[in-house]
């Protein structure tokens, strides 16, 4: 054998290919093939959109300041594809944002496109398809950015786990799309399963032995595609859990713990709690808080008392979690028993393994905001060393808060503030755009509309049509910045008819823009849904949440300009409003939309553009479709 | 009201839009949207790819010499689309042939492409998707070209019906594609239903009352998407049935008649027939032919005696049909009791309603060449006037010939000759290309290969990459024109390993090319399948069929150069060969492939090109992808 063995040479070649270090900055190169494949995400075989034979796609791990280069080949047979790098601002590379019809043309079958962009900021991110409903088809994965060399996170942890949460349907995305675009409308329904890192269990449960026999116990060896990834931990150690939600629909809640086996199934009536007579099964802590009880719901959640069966309340023994990061931005640490997470959001929480180390615990993920017909997703927090024979926790999983316990959700959102020392928002806005979210009808088709316009993306990407001032590529009319004063957000629209549109909110470079997201009643009475809105290319400050219709005079005065959190996704609660502020400092064209996949598909989004004339070096391939494609080719005559 | 009523004006406007007559030639304009929709082709709801809300797509009806202009908008969400005009030679418009990766880039979602081409020759044609397996998804329809003004068909008929035959699966095409491209391989299986004009009946039968109760009687009001289109006829009248098969897989046979109620279920043993003692239940006609019996099968089919149950033979009372047209070419009329039709073929047959006009009759369509697991498709030939109460025929449907009765199939094919006066083939060939059809493995994936190369289409359409001499767009190596002498076509391949390729057979303009399609044994022993090969851009003469390996010296001498039929599709029988001749007189790039959709998907095709430098006026949009797209755009820098 020579100087280096063959194996070493191969390893070195692979390293050289995948990481290229020059002049201090690192380029991490990936070669990905997107294709459909058979997979059993929830123990039921189906077709998923995978990357390099994996579902979810490979995790990208990089350091702040690195350049990521993904050479993406479309191996689908007839579908185009793009990938959006969710949370990455694409400073200087708006063409790499991976939004079909906005930042680029979809990559044709058989073709390869190179996404090359910098990850400037440490945090928990992810990537996903952004064409049709390909995200729902399974095209997603994690993108984790560590702090740069010599930098430190503002909190300590000894180990970490990555939990990418998603929801899963057995009906194909193609069928879902047809149903959503049909008259009569066919809703996709609730997901069959929730997945943790692409793994869930349909028609069986890891915790079936605690139920009354209505569910089968999962028989999994551990090697199945649907077997849970167990989190093995050491006692008295602090772990960072990176939790990201890429759900198509579901709002989620995650808790780590078990139902207390001591108090299980002990009957307490709501009156017991409300009357401040909690009885001897309730701890002193409950009694303390019960003095201030306003609602049963509040009691349940503030106290870690969980609704188990009608009038059966038990304690959950949850691991406390300290939230430290949201959407790649540090937040002022706060402790919770469970974490609310909406599609498009990410959190880092610190969990210290300070519970009885002779036991294991459940990680439970349940649905919020919609009446669930989907069982909780489960995996196991496994205190090492435990005998495999007692791997399953000895008590039932914590049950996440009731779906319509919006006070719990609001309480969580209202605890999130920027870490001290974080960038503060400009004190004044240059412009305010109020966006009314309504459900509407167009020719009898059910749509979502923003200020009565339902987004129908053009076939030419805006980045090209704006850059080259192409006529007829999209609506030139400015989209509305407000809605009629007399609109009653508490009731179904008086005139539900809406129109399609694809106009652009043109933003001045470096202007400070306030966006007020105004929720309203849907088409049916007494229905108003949660919508998590995601902004591309920027973070925004969340200045506040409110109930009912936004009051332009009064509510603005209540904005938190002191320590609002920076996010890229923020929720509007039913019948409420959410106020955001951002600086349009990133030249490009940027989607701002509800991150619920079928809602976006039904038109729930708007387009922002800023200083597109400053955008350079757009790869021609990104614009080789529609009118840009045509205009490029007019020079060639055959 | 004025000079013209509003209604008249509207009608005139529609007519003006759809037909534009100038200087003697007519342009027929169509505006089509392709989209997925819910449909119940066989009474089971599914998703189909439809056009303007119809499945099958609208029928185009034109006259020879007309120009067809189809403005096709892709309303699919993520898939590209193209439409191939099967049987239309596209003289001078090879870019309108509608073959993705060959004649054009797939039309992107949201974009519109105009197919504009002349239909120069009267005949029975059709159109269908030619990207991925979109034909199987339901993207097809009829294209009927009548003779030009002042011209006459060389046969008489009083009325006509159009029967577009297809097969249908309940599994989505996307799932089928994944299975075919998987390891282990997953075959699509036999179709759930056969469809006549897009209508079939799954899990029920129009003729269930004749069976032993194993099938449910269909309860159809007639307005259902799956209700059969009944052919209402007058007695003693001659109808032209235009029969076209667009199946994904199935070879078919069509017969019009009923089982004789008199002789039903009378037991005759094969020995009865073979021993020339047919007994008194067999007619004189049988006895005549029985003298020459060679096989039982031959007897059954030549005599119109149909295999009913084991050893139960009965007469079918079929309407005779006179075949007059094949693939848009007139043939010397010949009479048959049933018509064999392979995917990609079309026939016109004349049927005279000379049977008992107090009864109705079945039109039966059954599977040939593969062991059927699909019931016969049925519709009704309804002699007018009949009381609706006796609409259903009083006897069971004719049962089409047994699937593996290849002698019957060969007998049919061998009856087809060109109508006297048709163009004859050149006497000598300039080139001979022998194409061995084998089933192979590539990295363990099951493929079909031609001379050991499995076609993997490039992402840049050949028409552009050849026209502009782009390097690297496809294999420059010439594909092989023959296979090794010692290859045993009767056995599985000794070395089943094959390779992908996409090289081109470059043909001299106006050269006469012979193609010998050589069938062989598949991967498993004793399996050799039917493959109907379809040539784009040309008709070919079918010079002959043979058994076993083509003998270069002897077999060529037997070629029929006197009156071979012109076709665009010809079948190779199991373990046999088929000899074709054509003149490469149409500049362009032309696919030649097995018309079985999954076989093409698995690589069973080759590419011919001729005089591409003579091709002009290719719309830029047709080439706005892959390397042509890139090369066009290199002039534009941003």
């Amino acid at each position: 054998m020579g100087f280096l063995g063959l194996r070493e040479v191969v390893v070195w070649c692979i390293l050289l290919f995948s990481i290229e270090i020059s002049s201090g900055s690192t380029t991490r190169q990936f070669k990905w093939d997107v294709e459909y494949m058979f997979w059993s995400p929830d123990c039921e075989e189906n077709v998923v959109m995978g990357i390099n034979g994996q579902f979810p796609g490979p995790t990208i791990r990089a350091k702040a300041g690195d350049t990521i280069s993904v050479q993406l080949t479309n191996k689908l047979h007839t579908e185009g594809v793009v990938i959006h790098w969710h949370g990455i601002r694409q400073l200087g590379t708006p063409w790499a944002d991976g939004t079909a019809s906005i930042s680029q043309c979809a990559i044709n079958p058989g073709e390869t496109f190179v996404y090359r962009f910098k990850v400037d900021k440490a945090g928990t991110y992810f990537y996903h398809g952004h064409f049709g409903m390909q995200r729902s088809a399974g095209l997603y994965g994690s993108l984790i950015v560590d702090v740069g060399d010599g930098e430190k996170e503002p909190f300590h942890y000894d180990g970490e786990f990555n939990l990418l949460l998603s929801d899963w349907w057995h009906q194909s995305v193609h069928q879902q799309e047809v149903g959503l675009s049909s008259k009569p409308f066919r809703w996709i329904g609730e997901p069959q399963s929730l997945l943790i890192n692409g793994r869930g269990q349909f028609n069986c449960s890891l915790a079936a032995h605690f139920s009354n026999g209505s569910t089968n116990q999962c028989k999994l060896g551990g090697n199945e595609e649907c077997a849970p990834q167990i989190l093995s931990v050491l006692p008295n150690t602090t772990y960072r859990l990176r939790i990201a939600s890429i759900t198509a629909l579901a709002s989620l809640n995650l808790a780590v713990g078990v139902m207390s086996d001591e108090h299980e199934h002990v009957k307490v009536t709501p009156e017991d709690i409300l009357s401040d007579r909690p009885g001897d099964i309730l701890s002193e802590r409950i009694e303390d808080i019960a003095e201030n009880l306003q609602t049963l719901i509040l009691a349940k959640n503030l106290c870690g008392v969980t609704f188990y069966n009608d009038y059966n309340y038990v304690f959950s023994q949850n691991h406390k979690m300290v939230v430290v990061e949201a959407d790649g931005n540090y937040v002022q640490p706060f402790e919770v028993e469970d974490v609310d997470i909406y599609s498009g959001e990410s959190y880092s929480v610190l969990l210290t393994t300070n519970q009885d180390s002779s036991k294991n615990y459940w990680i439970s993920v349940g649905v919020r905001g919609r009446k669930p017909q989907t069982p909780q997703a489960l995996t196991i927090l496994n205190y090492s060393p435990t005998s495999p024979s007692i791997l399953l926790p000895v008590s039932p999983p914590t049950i996440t808060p009731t779906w319509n316990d919006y006070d719990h959700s609001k309480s969580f959102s209202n605890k999130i503030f920027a870490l001290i020392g974080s960038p503060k928002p400009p004190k004044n806005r240059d412009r305010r755009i109020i966006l009314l979210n309504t459900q509407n009808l167009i020719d009898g088709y059910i749509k979502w509309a923003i200020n009565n316009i339902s987004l129908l993306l053009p076939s030419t990407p805006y980045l090209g049509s704006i850059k080259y001032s192409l006529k007829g590529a999209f609506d030139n009319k400015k989209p509305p910045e407000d809605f009629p004063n007399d609109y009653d957000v508490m009731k179904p629209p008086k005139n539900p008819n809406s129109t399609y549109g694809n106009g652009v909110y043109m933003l001045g470079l470096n202007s400070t823009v306030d966006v007020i997201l105004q929720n309203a009643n849907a088409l049916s009475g007494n229905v108003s849904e949660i919508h998590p809105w995601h902004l591309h290319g920027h973070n925004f400050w969340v200045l506040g949440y409110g109930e009912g219709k936004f009051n332009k005079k009064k509510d603005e005065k209540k904005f938190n300009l002191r320590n609002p959190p920076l996010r890229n996704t923020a929720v509007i609660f039913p019948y409420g409003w959410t106020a955001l502020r951002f600086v349009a400092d990133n030249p490009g064209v940027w989607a701002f939309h509800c991150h619920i996949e079928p809602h976006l598909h039904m038109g729930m989004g708007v387009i922002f553009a800023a200083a597109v004339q400053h955008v350079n070096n757009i790869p021609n391939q990104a614009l080789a479709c529609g009118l840009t494609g045509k205009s490029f080719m007019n020079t060639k005559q055959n």
Side-chain angles (χ1 to χ4, degrees), chain A:
Chain A
M1 287 297 286
F3 194 43
L4 281 173
L6 176 62
R7 198 169 146 187
E8 283 78 8
V9 171
V10 170
V11 168
W12 266 103
C13 289
I14 291 169
L15 283 174
L16 282 173
F17 181 76
S18 58
I19 307 179
E20 158 203 313
I21 305 175
S22 66
S23 62
S25 88
T26 301
T27 298
R28 293 178 193 271
Q29 302 201 3
F30 302 88
K31 218 173 160 177
W32 285 0
D33 289 346
V34 174
E35 59 191 324
Y36 282 113
M37 56 191 191
F38 290 110
W39 203 265
S40 303
D42 62 354
C43 306
E44 292 261 312
E45 194 189 66
N46 213 313
V47 164
V48 304
M49 199 175 274
I51 295 173
N52 291 357
Q54 295 177 47
F55 168 77
T59 295
I60 291 182
R61 188 109 205 178
K63 282 186 185 169
D66 286 353
T67 295
I68 305 291
S69 166
V70 178
Q71 187 180 326
L72 190 78
T73 299
N74 179 356
K75 295 258 177 140
L76 307 173
H77 295 295
T78 52
E79 290 181 64
V81 78
V82 295
I83 290 188
H84 168 59
W85 315 92
H86 186 111
I88 306 302
R89 287 175 294 164
Q90 303 291 355
L91 298 168
T93 53
W95 56 267
D97 194 43
T99 45
S101 288
I102 303 168
S103 65
Q104 70 169 117
C105 302
I107 307 162
N108 292 320
E111 295 195 37
T112 298
F113 182 81
V114 181
Y115 289 99
R116 198 179 164 89
F117 55 89
K118 252 198 166 157
V119 289
D120 62 316
K121 215 157 165 262
T124 304
Y125 306 104
F126 43 90
Y127 60 83
H128 59 77
H130 212 294
F131 186 34
M133 286 174 51
Q134 292 182 340
R135 192 180 94 217
S136 294
L139 185 56
Y140 48 74
S142 293
L143 197 174
I144 310 289
V145 182
D146 291 304
V147 291
D149 289 328
E151 303 287 318
K152 273 182 111 177
E153 302 273 15
F155 43 82
H156 166 80
Y157 56 101
D158 307 300
E160 73 167 73
F161 292 100
N162 184 39
L163 301 175
L164 184 64
L165 310 180
S166 57
D167 43 10
W168 185 247
W169 279 254
H170 291 168
Q171 188 184 42
S172 79
V173 164
H174 301 101
Q175 289 234 356
Q176 291 179 37
E177 285 175 345
V178 180
L180 293 171
S181 312
S182 287
K183 191 164 58 172
F185 180 71
R186 301 196 196 180
W187 176 238
I188 61 169
E190 296 303 310
Q192 270 66 61
S193 304
L194 301 179
L195 309 180
I196 302 173
N197 292 338
R199 293 152 179 270
Q201 298 83 38
F202 178 76
N203 250 345
C204 78
S205 168
L206 302 171
H209 51 294
F210 297 114
S211 73
N212 301 329
S214 55
T215 317
N216 295 322
Q217 185 70 31
C218 297
K219 285 168 191 161
L220 296 169
N223 290 326
E224 296 84 0
E225 287 160 357
C226 65
Q229 277 178 1
I230 289 163
L231 281 61
S232 285
V233 294
L234 297 171
N236 298 310
T237 308
T238 298
Y239 293 90
R240 177 182 191 167
L241 303 189
R242 296 179 181 269
I243 309 167
S245 172
I246 206 146
T247 54
L249 174 64
S251 302
L252 301 174
N253 183 280
L254 179 143
V256 183
V258 290
M259 306 292 275
S260 162
D261 45 355
E262 289 146 38
H263 301 296
E264 203 180 330
H265 285 255
V266 177
K267 190 160 185 167
V268 191
T269 67
E271 288 71 27
D272 283 338
I273 299 178
L274 287 171
S275 67
D276 197 11
R277 287 180 292 102
D280 48 353
I281 61 107
L282 293 177
S283 73
E284 277 213 340
R285 202 169 127 255
I286 273 277
E287 291 186 295
D288 288 348
I289 294 165
E291 291 176 12
N292 299 313
L293 280 184
Q294 299 212 346
T295 66
L296 175 60
I297 288 160
L298 200 65
K300 281 194 301 166
N301 294 294
L302 289 177
C303 312
V305 178
T306 308
F307 187 76
Y308 192 57
N309 271 319
D310 280 353
Y311 309 119
N312 275 323
Y313 294 84
V314 289
F315 281 103
S316 54
Q317 291 184 327
N318 284 356
H319 284 73
K320 298 278 194 298
M321 294 176 277
V322 176
V323 182
V324 293
E325 180 218 339
D327 300 354
N329 297 288
Y330 298 124
V331 301
Q332 193 62 21
F334 64 100
E335 193 179 75
V336 287
E337 287 230 1
D338 54 76
V339 176
D340 263 354
I341 181 163
Y342 302 96
S343 179
E345 292 187 337
S346 71
Y347 289 104
S348 284
V349 301
L350 302 180
L351 177 146
T352 301
T353 49
N354 54 10
Q355 301 291 304
D356 181 351
S357 68
S358 71
K359 292 180 183 169
N360 287 333
Y361 300 84
W362 297 105
I363 297 177
S364 311
V365 177
V367 173
R368 312 295 325 277
R370 307 182 65 90
K371 197 167 182 182
Q373 292 172 27
T374 315
Q376 292 195 140
L378 295 175
T379 186
I380 294 165
L381 188 75
N382 164 225
Y383 273 67
S384 295
T386 41
S387 146
S389 63
I390 56 156
L391 191 65
L392 281 179
V394 292
S395 305
T398 299
I399 293 177
T400 51
T402 325
W403 69 274
N404 56 0
D405 182 355
Y406 293 112
D407 288 329
H408 182 90
S409 308
K410 291 171 190 172
S411 157
F412 181 84
S413 293
N414 284 317
K415 282 179 195 155
I416 304 171
F417 300 107
L419 181 68
I420 292 166
S422 299
K424 289 187 180 186
K427 291 219 170 106
N428 300 301
R429 60 172 163 84
D430 298 312
R431 184 167 172 186
R432 180 170 67 192
I433 299 171
I434 303 181
L435 301 177
L436 175 68
N437 290 231
T438 54
Q439 202 177 29
N440 296 75
L441 294 176
I442 301 181
D443 301 330
Y445 292 92
I446 298 182
K447 300 288 166 190
W448 289 95
I450 304 307
N451 292 346
N452 218 34
I453 295 175
S454 185
L455 180 63
L456 187 68
L457 289 170
S459 52
T460 306
Y462 290 103
L463 191 61
S465 51
I466 298 174
K467 166 95 184 169
Y468 298 111
S469 308
L470 299 184
K471 282 182 185 161
F474 60 88
D475 294 353
N476 267 322
K477 216 180 126 196
K478 288 182 184 178
E481 314 224 344
D482 203 348
F483 61 93
N485 254 328
D486 61 351
Y487 192 95
D488 187 347
V489 300
M490 306 306 286
K491 290 190 181 153
K494 275 184 197 165
N495 173 5
N497 291 323
S498 182
T499 53
Y500 292 113
N502 54 28
V504 175
Y505 292 91
M506 299 288 185
L507 308 179
L509 186 61
N510 294 319
S511 63
T512 298
V513 180
D514 277 13
V515 173
I516 312 299
L517 287 164
Q518 175 67 58
N519 210 340
N521 196 102
L523 282 170
S524 305
N526 297 316
V527 175
S528 183
E529 299 186 16
I530 281 179
H531 303 286
W533 278 75
H534 171 63
L535 177 60
H536 290 232
H538 308 76
N539 287 307
F540 48 67
W541 288 274
V542 185
L543 304 185
Y545 301 91
E547 309 278 332
K549 197 194 276 191
F550 178 74
N551 183 312
K552 292 176 192 169
K553 286 179 188 166
K554 290 182 187 166
D555 286 329
E556 199 167 38
K557 290 176 189 153
K558 299 179 207 156
F559 284 173
N560 172 16
L561 299 178
R562 203 172 57 84
N563 59 354
L566 268 171
R567 305 292 302 256
N568 61 53
T569 304
V571 75
I572 45 173
F573 292 106
Y575 299 109
W577 55 261
T578 299
L580 314 174
R581 178 167 294 178
F582 70 97
V583 177
D585 56 2
N586 191 6
V589 186
W590 308 105
F592 179 49
H593 62 90
C594 176
H595 207 262
I596 292 178
E597 186 92 316
H599 288 185
L600 173 57
H601 194 73
M602 293 162 69
M604 200 166 203
V606 297
I607 304 296
F608 291 144
V612 176
Q613 68 279 15
H614 293 180
V615 176
N616 293 309
N617 303 315
I618 308 172
N620 279 335
Q621 195 193 350
L623 302 178
C625 65
L627 296 178
T628 38
K630 268 188 194 161
S631 87
F632 284 179
M633 292 190 300
N634 281 342
T635 49
K636 188 99 180 184
Q637 293 300 330
N638 62 74

